[in-house]
Amino acid sequence: MMENERMKTTHFDRDFPVNNKVITRELLEKEYPGYLRHVKNAFEAGQIHIFRWWNEITASEKKNLLDQVSTIDFGLIKKVFNDAVLKPARTSRDNLTPPPIITFPKKDAEKEMAHKAKLAGEISLQKGEIAILTVAGGDGTRLGINGPKGTFLITPITRKSIFQLHAEKIVAAQKRYNTRIPWYIMTSKSNDSATQNFFKMHNFFGLNSHQVCFFTQDMVPVVDLQGNVMMDSKSNIIMSPNGHGGALVALKEKNVLNDMKRRGIKNIFYHQVDNILVKIADPVFIGHHMRDSSEVSLKIVKKCDPEEKVGIVVYIDGNLHMIEYSELSRKDMYEKNENGTLKYHAGNIAVHMINIDFLEKVYQSGESLPYHAAIKKVPYLDDDGNVIDPKQNNAIKFESFIFDILKYVKKSVIMEVLREDEFSPIKNMEGENSPETSRQDMVNQFGRWLRNIGVSIPVDARGNVIGLIEISPCFAMDEEELKNKVDKQLQFNGKLLL
Ligand code: UTP
């Protein structure tokens, strides 16, 4: 630690010290031309300790470390650490109001409105104006599988992967609307090749390989609780993906937005890879978004209890915001409407429509999404070069969140959907939001579809279907389609695969 402190206070005028030895600028420039300014950036931000094993590592490791250093904006990391950790931003709670919401249609007029939206959405799909954007760059630490989350085998009977399930929804929508729907998948450096190989190995699940486009988000260094960049070997800085908000930068920098425009895309259907029930390319949602000339639209579900750990969509001073459950005061959390329902109930399920022209306007403004700090437990190399597996949280990962884009939004649509129909994320290996709960949610949904068309399906005391049901999106995308394909005399004997 003392060594680190000493390094930070030395001026970067000629040489820089590494474990009491000195690397001359001349030598660095001669042997590794072009890196000096990046090393200087690290030095000026107080991060020169990342070179403390410089004299022990091989030439190729030196080159790798310098390559890594050249991708890092050390000044930004310093600023983000100070902003996010030392002075956590608090959103003003004055003038908090619930936003206007298109509620789940129950009355005839509401159903009529949904029907009109659906027709508009279907036309846009037919015209090929919609692309799907799946963010799949996260580390999936809580699930803890070996490989990208999307490769997890999830369906109740045939054990299709999450990626296959999403792909088949796209295949089915293409068939229904006689169109082609480009699919953009954001990965990170850690899972990009595994993801792409998985698609190749499975022949893109029936999609054309040219319509599936992968792009990577940026990585940012992980820092310790004092803001020092951490390493997991003598030549490797620990990096993590920069959050789903990283999609915003990557869409532009990786030329994805131009590719979308070239294909005639006008709006993006955004979702997260781990929501098993997501209604990909839902025409009703697309239609509402388009008919209201919305810039960004959101699907929400009613919070199931006041303390549910879900982000809440609100207006603050008349502007749309998504706030974390932890940022809502207890009073606001429990506040009720006159009819006894929760006042702030709009739980964000991270399904959005995003208008491409709006994105361009955001890029032109030159602004970027803020970083949020998440405190995590991360194995690292200590000053003596020992690998430490910490017992407690010891590190900060920085992530930007896609919903922070809402601060630029003037026109939006917020549409309520039913949780049991559209939201079942996989976060943990066991317990809530796990593969087990998601499989049950799928089976229950298929059970409801069948029951609604007259097939008898037994349920237990908690309303869970007794038995297994799996319906491929290619057989039926929804209840309406199923109705035309299934005889209501069908006898359910505990296992049904369609
Ligand atoms: P989560 O925040 O739940 O993260 O991501 P995660 O990576 O899946 O799991 P943990 O937190 O490490 O356990 C929600 C969605 O956002 C994507 C994820 O892939 C998931 O679809 N995401 C998250 C990214 O694409 N990039 C990121 O940097 C973070």
Side-chain angles (χ1 to χ4, degrees), residues 135-143 149 186 217 241-244 270 272-274 376 399 427:
V135 289
D139 284 335
T141 334
R142 285 167 289 172
L143 187 64
K149 217 186 226 187
M186 185 174 82
Q217 62 181 116
N242 63 347
H244 40 64
Y270 166 102
Q272 302 188 336
V273 73
D274 53 16
K376 309 253 172 162
E399 294 195 346
K427 300 291 180 193

mmCIF file of all heavy atoms in Angstrom, residues 135-143 149 186 217 241-244 270 272-274 376 399 427, ligand 1:
data_model
loop_
_atom_site.group_PDB
_atom_site.id
_atom_site.type_symbol
_atom_site.label_atom_id
_atom_site.label_comp_id
_atom_site.label_asym_id
_atom_site.label_seq_id
_atom_site.Cartn_x
_atom_site.Cartn_y
_atom_site.Cartn_z
ATOM 1 N N VAL A 135 -29.976 -7.608 -24.929
ATOM 2 C CA VAL A 135 -28.715 -7.356 -24.220
ATOM 3 C C VAL A 135 -28.336 -8.615 -23.454
ATOM 4 O O VAL A 135 -29.095 -9.118 -22.632
ATOM 5 C CB VAL A 135 -28.761 -6.108 -23.309
ATOM 6 C CG1 VAL A 135 -28.798 -4.843 -24.141
ATOM 7 C CG2 VAL A 135 -29.925 -6.121 -22.341
ATOM 8 N N ALA A 136 -27.159 -9.127 -23.795
ATOM 9 C CA ALA A 136 -26.716 -10.407 -23.226
ATOM 10 C C ALA A 136 -25.239 -10.333 -22.851
ATOM 11 O O ALA A 136 -24.513 -11.311 -22.959
ATOM 12 C CB ALA A 136 -26.966 -11.520 -24.239
ATOM 13 N N GLY A 137 -24.818 -9.138 -22.449
ATOM 14 C CA GLY A 137 -23.397 -8.946 -22.156
ATOM 15 C C GLY A 137 -23.047 -9.112 -20.692
ATOM 16 O O GLY A 137 -21.878 -9.073 -20.318
ATOM 17 N N GLY A 138 -24.067 -9.304 -19.842
ATOM 18 C CA GLY A 138 -23.815 -9.378 -18.400
ATOM 19 C C GLY A 138 -23.019 -10.615 -18.021
ATOM 20 O O GLY A 138 -22.991 -11.600 -18.764
ATOM 21 N N ASP A 139 -22.392 -10.557 -16.851
ATOM 22 C CA ASP A 139 -21.564 -11.675 -16.394
ATOM 23 C C ASP A 139 -22.401 -12.837 -15.855
ATOM 24 O O ASP A 139 -21.905 -13.953 -15.723
ATOM 25 C CB ASP A 139 -20.609 -11.205 -15.280
ATOM 26 C CG ASP A 139 -19.446 -10.407 -15.872
ATOM 27 O OD1 ASP A 139 -19.129 -10.608 -17.054
ATOM 28 O OD2 ASP A 139 -18.866 -9.584 -15.143
ATOM 29 N N GLY A 140 -23.662 -12.566 -15.505
ATOM 30 C CA GLY A 140 -24.519 -13.621 -14.957
ATOM 31 C C GLY A 140 -23.923 -14.249 -13.703
ATOM 32 O O GLY A 140 -24.045 -15.451 -13.491
ATOM 33 N N THR A 141 -23.323 -13.413 -12.869
ATOM 34 C CA THR A 141 -22.606 -13.924 -11.694
ATOM 35 C C THR A 141 -23.520 -14.701 -10.749
ATOM 36 O O THR A 141 -23.144 -15.743 -10.233
ATOM 37 C CB THR A 141 -21.994 -12.748 -10.891
ATOM 38 O OG1 THR A 141 -21.779 -11.662 -11.775
ATOM 39 C CG2 THR A 141 -20.708 -13.139 -10.242
ATOM 40 N N ARG A 142 -24.738 -14.170 -10.536
ATOM 41 C CA ARG A 142 -25.613 -14.827 -9.563
ATOM 42 C C ARG A 142 -26.047 -16.208 -10.043
ATOM 43 O O ARG A 142 -26.160 -17.137 -9.261
ATOM 44 C CB ARG A 142 -26.842 -13.954 -9.290
ATOM 45 C CG ARG A 142 -26.551 -12.762 -8.413
ATOM 46 C CD ARG A 142 -27.683 -11.779 -8.422
ATOM 47 N NE ARG A 142 -27.789 -11.074 -9.708
ATOM 48 C CZ ARG A 142 -28.779 -10.272 -10.052
ATOM 49 N NH1 ARG A 142 -29.791 -10.090 -9.231
ATOM 50 N NH2 ARG A 142 -28.781 -9.652 -11.211
ATOM 51 N N LEU A 143 -26.285 -16.350 -11.346
ATOM 52 C CA LEU A 143 -26.674 -17.666 -11.872
ATOM 53 C C LEU A 143 -25.479 -18.615 -11.807
ATOM 54 O O LEU A 143 -25.617 -19.794 -11.483
ATOM 55 C CB LEU A 143 -27.189 -17.522 -13.312
ATOM 56 C CG LEU A 143 -27.785 -18.782 -13.922
ATOM 57 C CD1 LEU A 143 -29.037 -19.211 -13.162
ATOM 58 C CD2 LEU A 143 -28.120 -18.587 -15.392
ATOM 59 N N LYS A 149 -25.371 -16.655 -20.228
ATOM 60 C CA LYS A 149 -26.694 -16.971 -19.671
ATOM 61 C C LYS A 149 -27.653 -17.514 -20.743
ATOM 62 O O LYS A 149 -28.452 -18.406 -20.481
ATOM 63 C CB LYS A 149 -27.275 -15.703 -19.068
ATOM 64 C CG LYS A 149 -28.054 -15.899 -17.801
ATOM 65 C CD LYS A 149 -28.696 -14.577 -17.401
ATOM 66 C CE LYS A 149 -28.489 -14.309 -15.939
ATOM 67 N NZ LYS A 149 -29.240 -13.125 -15.473
ATOM 68 N N MET A 186 -26.232 -7.958 -28.016
ATOM 69 C CA MET A 186 -25.053 -7.334 -27.408
ATOM 70 C C MET A 186 -24.389 -8.334 -26.449
ATOM 71 O O MET A 186 -25.042 -8.887 -25.563
ATOM 72 C CB MET A 186 -25.418 -6.066 -26.646
ATOM 73 C CG MET A 186 -24.170 -5.356 -26.116
ATOM 74 S SD MET A 186 -24.514 -3.768 -25.362
ATOM 75 C CE MET A 186 -25.040 -4.254 -23.724
ATOM 76 N N GLN A 217 -20.099 -4.798 -26.086
ATOM 77 C CA GLN A 217 -20.107 -3.567 -25.296
ATOM 78 C C GLN A 217 -18.697 -3.355 -24.742
ATOM 79 O O GLN A 217 -17.845 -4.239 -24.816
ATOM 80 C CB GLN A 217 -21.113 -3.691 -24.158
ATOM 81 C CG GLN A 217 -20.803 -4.789 -23.163
ATOM 82 C CD GLN A 217 -21.875 -4.876 -22.070
ATOM 83 O OE1 GLN A 217 -22.566 -5.866 -21.961
ATOM 84 N NE2 GLN A 217 -21.987 -3.843 -21.259
ATOM 85 N N PRO A 241 -18.104 -5.807 -17.825
ATOM 86 C CA PRO A 241 -18.897 -5.098 -18.830
ATOM 87 C C PRO A 241 -19.555 -3.846 -18.236
ATOM 88 O O PRO A 241 -19.900 -3.840 -17.047
ATOM 89 C CB PRO A 241 -19.946 -6.126 -19.263
ATOM 90 C CG PRO A 241 -19.786 -7.312 -18.396
ATOM 91 C CD PRO A 241 -18.550 -7.181 -17.597
ATOM 92 N N ASN A 242 -19.710 -2.814 -19.059
ATOM 93 C CA ASN A 242 -20.105 -1.500 -18.519
ATOM 94 C C ASN A 242 -21.616 -1.298 -18.347
ATOM 95 O O ASN A 242 -22.103 -0.185 -18.423
ATOM 96 C CB ASN A 242 -19.506 -0.378 -19.382
ATOM 97 C CG ASN A 242 -20.024 -0.390 -20.808
ATOM 98 O OD1 ASN A 242 -20.650 -1.362 -21.245
ATOM 99 N ND2 ASN A 242 -19.771 0.667 -21.555
ATOM 100 N N GLY A 243 -22.354 -2.393 -18.130
ATOM 101 C CA GLY A 243 -23.789 -2.280 -17.855
ATOM 102 C C GLY A 243 -24.626 -2.317 -19.123
ATOM 103 O O GLY A 243 -24.108 -2.095 -20.222
ATOM 104 N N HIS A 244 -25.940 -2.589 -18.959
ATOM 105 C CA HIS A 244 -26.767 -2.654 -20.179
ATOM 106 C C HIS A 244 -26.878 -1.296 -20.859
ATOM 107 O O HIS A 244 -27.149 -1.206 -22.055
ATOM 108 C CB HIS A 244 -28.135 -3.304 -19.946
ATOM 109 C CG HIS A 244 -28.815 -2.948 -18.654
ATOM 110 N ND1 HIS A 244 -29.222 -1.679 -18.359
ATOM 111 C CD2 HIS A 244 -29.151 -3.710 -17.589
ATOM 112 C CE1 HIS A 244 -29.794 -1.681 -17.166
ATOM 113 N NE2 HIS A 244 -29.751 -2.897 -16.658
ATOM 114 N N TYR A 270 -36.326 -3.624 -27.494
ATOM 115 C CA TYR A 270 -35.213 -3.937 -26.578
ATOM 116 C C TYR A 270 -35.687 -4.870 -25.467
ATOM 117 O O TYR A 270 -36.746 -4.649 -24.866
ATOM 118 C CB TYR A 270 -34.719 -2.624 -25.962
ATOM 119 C CG TYR A 270 -33.814 -2.779 -24.756
ATOM 120 C CD1 TYR A 270 -32.440 -2.624 -24.874
ATOM 121 C CD2 TYR A 270 -34.337 -3.071 -23.485
ATOM 122 C CE1 TYR A 270 -31.612 -2.774 -23.757
ATOM 123 C CE2 TYR A 270 -33.510 -3.217 -22.378
ATOM 124 C CZ TYR A 270 -32.153 -3.067 -22.530
ATOM 125 O OH TYR A 270 -31.333 -3.204 -21.432
ATOM 126 N N GLN A 272 -34.028 -7.897 -22.267
ATOM 127 C CA GLN A 272 -32.875 -8.530 -21.625
ATOM 128 C C GLN A 272 -32.945 -10.038 -21.837
ATOM 129 O O GLN A 272 -34.032 -10.614 -21.839
ATOM 130 C CB GLN A 272 -32.874 -8.187 -20.137
ATOM 131 C CG GLN A 272 -32.839 -6.674 -19.929
ATOM 132 C CD GLN A 272 -32.638 -6.264 -18.493
ATOM 133 O OE1 GLN A 272 -32.943 -7.000 -17.574
ATOM 134 N NE2 GLN A 272 -32.141 -5.051 -18.308
ATOM 135 N N VAL A 273 -31.790 -10.633 -21.979
ATOM 136 C CA VAL A 273 -31.743 -12.045 -22.383
ATOM 137 C C VAL A 273 -32.448 -12.959 -21.381
ATOM 138 O O VAL A 273 -32.988 -14.000 -21.750
ATOM 139 C CB VAL A 273 -30.277 -12.490 -22.607
ATOM 140 C CG1 VAL A 273 -29.508 -12.645 -21.307
ATOM 141 C CG2 VAL A 273 -30.209 -13.768 -23.409
ATOM 142 N N ASP A 274 -32.488 -12.547 -20.102
ATOM 143 C CA ASP A 274 -32.934 -13.507 -19.090
ATOM 144 C C ASP A 274 -34.427 -13.491 -18.782
ATOM 145 O O ASP A 274 -34.881 -14.206 -17.900
ATOM 146 C CB ASP A 274 -32.124 -13.320 -17.800
ATOM 147 C CG ASP A 274 -32.129 -11.881 -17.303
ATOM 148 O OD1 ASP A 274 -32.981 -11.089 -17.760
ATOM 149 O OD2 ASP A 274 -31.280 -11.546 -16.463
ATOM 150 N N LYS A 376 -19.229 -5.412 -4.950
ATOM 151 C CA LYS A 376 -19.236 -6.868 -5.174
ATOM 152 C C LYS A 376 -18.036 -7.524 -4.512
ATOM 153 O O LYS A 376 -17.095 -6.856 -4.102
ATOM 154 C CB LYS A 376 -19.155 -7.166 -6.684
ATOM 155 C CG LYS A 376 -20.165 -6.443 -7.534
ATOM 156 C CD LYS A 376 -21.236 -7.367 -8.014
ATOM 157 C CE LYS A 376 -22.337 -6.596 -8.684
ATOM 158 N NZ LYS A 376 -23.205 -7.273 -9.509
ATOM 159 N N GLU A 399 -21.455 0.407 -13.706
ATOM 160 C CA GLU A 399 -22.385 0.053 -14.787
ATOM 161 C C GLU A 399 -23.257 1.248 -15.124
ATOM 162 O O GLU A 399 -23.691 1.986 -14.237
ATOM 163 C CB GLU A 399 -23.308 -1.088 -14.333
ATOM 164 C CG GLU A 399 -22.589 -2.386 -14.084
ATOM 165 C CD GLU A 399 -23.547 -3.569 -13.991
ATOM 166 O OE1 GLU A 399 -24.763 -3.352 -13.862
ATOM 167 O OE2 GLU A 399 -23.056 -4.707 -14.058
ATOM 168 N N LYS A 427 -32.323 -14.973 -12.568
ATOM 169 C CA LYS A 427 -31.177 -14.272 -11.967
ATOM 170 C C LYS A 427 -30.329 -15.229 -11.132
ATOM 171 O O LYS A 427 -29.108 -15.148 -11.145
ATOM 172 C CB LYS A 427 -31.652 -13.135 -11.045
ATOM 173 C CG LYS A 427 -32.483 -12.060 -11.733
ATOM 174 C CD LYS A 427 -31.660 -11.233 -12.691
ATOM 175 C CE LYS A 427 -32.497 -10.175 -13.379
ATOM 176 N NZ LYS A 427 -31.817 -9.571 -14.526
HETATM 177 P P1 UTP B 1 -28.271 -8.072 -14.651
HETATM 178 O O1 UTP B 1 -28.042 -6.740 -14.125
HETATM 179 O O2 UTP B 1 -29.306 -8.879 -14.014
HETATM 180 O O3 UTP B 1 -26.868 -8.816 -14.688
HETATM 181 O O4 UTP B 1 -28.532 -7.925 -16.187
HETATM 182 P P2 UTP B 1 -26.440 -10.271 -15.107
HETATM 183 O O5 UTP B 1 -25.138 -10.152 -15.761
HETATM 184 O O6 UTP B 1 -27.440 -10.996 -15.926
HETATM 185 O O7 UTP B 1 -26.316 -11.025 -13.721
HETATM 186 P P3 UTP B 1 -25.444 -10.690 -12.410
HETATM 187 O O8 UTP B 1 -25.909 -9.362 -11.893
HETATM 188 O O9 UTP B 1 -23.987 -10.695 -12.794
HETATM 189 O O10 UTP B 1 -25.807 -11.832 -11.523
HETATM 190 C C1 UTP B 1 -29.789 -7.741 -16.753
HETATM 191 C C2 UTP B 1 -29.619 -7.888 -18.254
HETATM 192 O O11 UTP B 1 -28.714 -6.926 -18.750
HETATM 193 C C3 UTP B 1 -27.651 -7.555 -19.449
HETATM 194 C C4 UTP B 1 -27.618 -8.982 -18.928
HETATM 195 O O12 UTP B 1 -26.993 -9.836 -19.860
HETATM 196 C C5 UTP B 1 -29.081 -9.258 -18.713
HETATM 197 O O13 UTP B 1 -29.711 -9.537 -19.940
HETATM 198 N N1 UTP B 1 -26.397 -6.852 -19.176
HETATM 199 C C6 UTP B 1 -26.047 -6.555 -17.899
HETATM 200 C C7 UTP B 1 -25.589 -6.537 -20.240
HETATM 201 O O14 UTP B 1 -25.917 -6.817 -21.405
HETATM 202 N N2 UTP B 1 -24.418 -5.909 -19.964
HETATM 203 C C8 UTP B 1 -24.025 -5.596 -18.724
HETATM 204 O O15 UTP B 1 -22.924 -5.011 -18.568
HETATM 205 C C9 UTP B 1 -24.867 -5.915 -17.659
#
